[in-house]
């Protein structure tokens, strides 16, 4: 059967094209995960300053560089991760078996989230107690509970984890979502967008935009939007993101330019949509570039990187900061630019060592991604 299928593909140009497109699409999904999660590191990059000191440097060249990296490569990249999750769920037959589906997502999303939150308390708060690191420490059992399970507020240490928390809730409802007709999915997406714009959501969803993009991923799969966006010329895919991001950056760098409100929230959602399209088009291009092989080798570490990067930044940022200095120091811009790569190197080393020393733990902490590394 396999030989016959291969022979048919050789004789059928359409089959060859479809197979090639499917392989490139799979590579683009893996690459999108890598570039998006690397971008998230910029949002949490070490500065060495508290909130008051950061505000005092607002408008300086270094602070503008930091905001630019955060907005362009950090916050803007996250929506594509939600879209990809919805796209994959819609195409999976296992989603229809609710118990099996939820059990699998609990192992690959919820349990790693809890374990990484526990490790964050152990290492980051432990370093605060023993070494004087300026970091949160347990103040009550309620604080511990919230840090571990993210029930009703964002955590103080692993501030990236609400994404996994909300994604798991989306996964709980995924068997229902994939059975809904298009109009009903559109209504859910519209409601999620409205909640994001109005600031509604907690404590049910920390970020309603995650539900919006998860639903849009399901819609994208049904309507074949991934291939349509991938086929867009750069002159169509790039300008909306560039224009909207320019406006977003101006508001971020000039807080008084537009008071916080519905207008800024609508702009933020528009930027997220344009960014998801732009980064998917970028991932599609990279899937056919010379960088493909390197990015695909990094991909098994992407989930590990997402979960662990803030622990590494809390602990390693001050150490390297002694060499490069804090935000405002002459060498800080170089440190800021390479922080995602420094964290990536540490993650690859740690993940590889853990895979060899304790493969079961590596599989668990990576959501099953490092089992073959």
């Amino acid at each position: 059967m396999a030989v016959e299928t291969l022979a048919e593909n050789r004789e059928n140009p359409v089959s060859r094209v479809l197979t090639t497109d499917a392989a490139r699409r799979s590579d683009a999904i893996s690459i999108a995960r890598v570039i998006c999660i690397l971008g998230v590191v910029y949002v949490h990059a070490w500065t060495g300053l508290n909130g008051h000191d950061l505000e005092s440097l607002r408008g300086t060249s270094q602070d503008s560089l930091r905001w630019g990296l955060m907005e362009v490569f950090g916050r803007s990249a996250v929506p594509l991760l939600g879209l990809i999750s919805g796209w994959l769920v819609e195409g999976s037959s296992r989603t229809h078996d609710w118990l099996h589906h939820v059990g699998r997502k609990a192992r690959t999303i919820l349990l790693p989230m809890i374990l990484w939150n526990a490790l964050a308390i152990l290492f980051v708060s432990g370093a605060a107690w023993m070494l004087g690191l300026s970091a949160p420490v347990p103040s009550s059992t309620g604080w511990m509970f919230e840090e571990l399970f993210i029930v009703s507020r964002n955590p103080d240490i692993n501030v990236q984890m609400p994404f996994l928390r909300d994604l798991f809730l989306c996964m709980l409802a995924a068997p229902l979502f994939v059975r809904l007709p298009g109009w009903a999915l559109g209504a859910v997406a519209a409601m999620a967008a409205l909640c994001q714009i109005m600031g509604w959501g907690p404590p049910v969803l920390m970020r309603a935009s995650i539900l919006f993009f998860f639903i849009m991923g399901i819609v994208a799969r049904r309507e074949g939007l991934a291939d349509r966006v991938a086929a867009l010329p750069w002159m169509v895919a790039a300008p909306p993101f560039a224009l909207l991001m320019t406006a977003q950056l101006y508001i971020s760098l000039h807080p008084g330019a537009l008071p916080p409100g519905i207008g800024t929230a609508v702009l933020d959602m528009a930027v997220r949509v344009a960014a998801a399209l732009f980064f998917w088009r970028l991932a599609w291009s990279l899937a056919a570039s010379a960088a493909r092989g390197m990015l695909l080798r990094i991909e098994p570490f992407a989930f590990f990187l997402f979960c662990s990067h803030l622990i590494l930044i809390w602990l390693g940022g001050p150490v390297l900061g002694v060499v490069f200095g804090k935000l405002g120091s002459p060498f800080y811009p170089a440190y800021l630019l390479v922080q995602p790569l420094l964290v990536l190197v540490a993650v690859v080393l740690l993940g590889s060592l853990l895979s060899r020393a304790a493969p079961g733990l590596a599989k668990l902490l990576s959501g099953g991604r490092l089992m073959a590394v």
Side-chain angles (χ1 to χ4, degrees), residues 103-253:
R104 189 162 52 90
K105 296 306 176 184
R107 291 192 306 272
T108 58
I109 298 175
L110 183 62
L111 184 55
M113 181 197 82
I114 296 170
L115 291 175
W116 278 110
N117 287 342
L119 289 172
I121 296 171
L122 176 64
F123 289 112
V124 177
S125 295
W129 268 328
M130 300 177 64
L131 304 175
L133 178 71
S134 179
V137 295
S139 56
S140 66
T141 54
W143 184 91
M144 290 280 290
F145 191 77
E146 287 285 357
E147 287 293 300
L148 285 171
F149 302 106
I150 318 177
V151 178
S152 61
R153 66 162 178 82
N154 292 322
D156 293 330
I157 301 177
N158 270 346
V159 298
Q160 83 280 22
M161 287 304 191
F163 175 82
L164 293 185
R165 181 251 200 213
D166 287 355
L167 180 61
F168 179 70
L169 292 181
C170 291
M171 290 296 181
L172 288 180
L176 170 63
F177 290 153
V178 298
R179 289 177 169 87
L180 291 178
W183 67 266
L185 279 177
V188 176
M191 186 182 304
L194 177 63
C195 288
Q196 177 68 22
I197 291 170
M198 300 303 295
W200 303 334
V204 179
L205 291 172
M206 295 294 105
R207 301 165 186 170
S209 61
I210 294 172
L211 173 60
F212 171 79
F213 285 104
F214 185 83
I215 295 294
M216 292 310 298
I218 296 175
V219 174
R221 181 97 185 211
R222 292 184 183 181
E223 302 298 327
L225 297 181
D227 293 335
R228 292 191 213 172
V229 173
L232 290 176
W234 276 112
M235 290 302 295
V236 175
F241 176 61
L243 292 172
L244 290 168
M245 177 50 66
T246 299
Q248 179 92 319
L249 274 174
Y250 182 82
I251 292 172
S252 298
L253 297 174

Side-chain angles (χ1 to χ4, degrees), residues 267-300:
L267 174 61
D268 179 70
M269 277 299 290
V271 170
R272 290 170 187 263
V273 172
L277 301 180
F278 174 81
F279 279 102
W280 172 246
R281 182 64 180 83
L282 175 61
W284 182 263
S285 296
L286 290 172
S289 72
R292 170 185 171 274
M294 177 189 66
L295 291 169
L296 291 179
R297 286 193 293 273
I298 294 172
E299 195 274 338

Side-chain angles (χ1 to χ4, degrees), residues 15 29 66 72 100 149 189 236 242 292 305 335-336 354:
S15 296
I29 288 172
R66 186 177 73 92
V72 175
H100 178 72
F149 302 106
V236 175
R292 170 185 171 274
L305 171 64
Y335 181 29
L336 174 63
L354 191 61

Side-chain angles (χ1 to χ4, degrees), residues 2 44 110 114 132 155 163 169 189 192 203 226 257-259 263 274 298 304 321 323-324 347:
H44 309 126
L110 183 62
I114 296 170
F163 175 82
L169 292 181
L258 185 63
I298 294 172
F304 199 96
V323 178
F324 294 97
V347 164

Side-chain angles (χ1 to χ4, degrees), residues 317-331:
V319 176
L320 292 176
V322 173
V323 178
F324 294 97
K326 302 177 181 180
L327 179 69
S329 303
F331 297 108

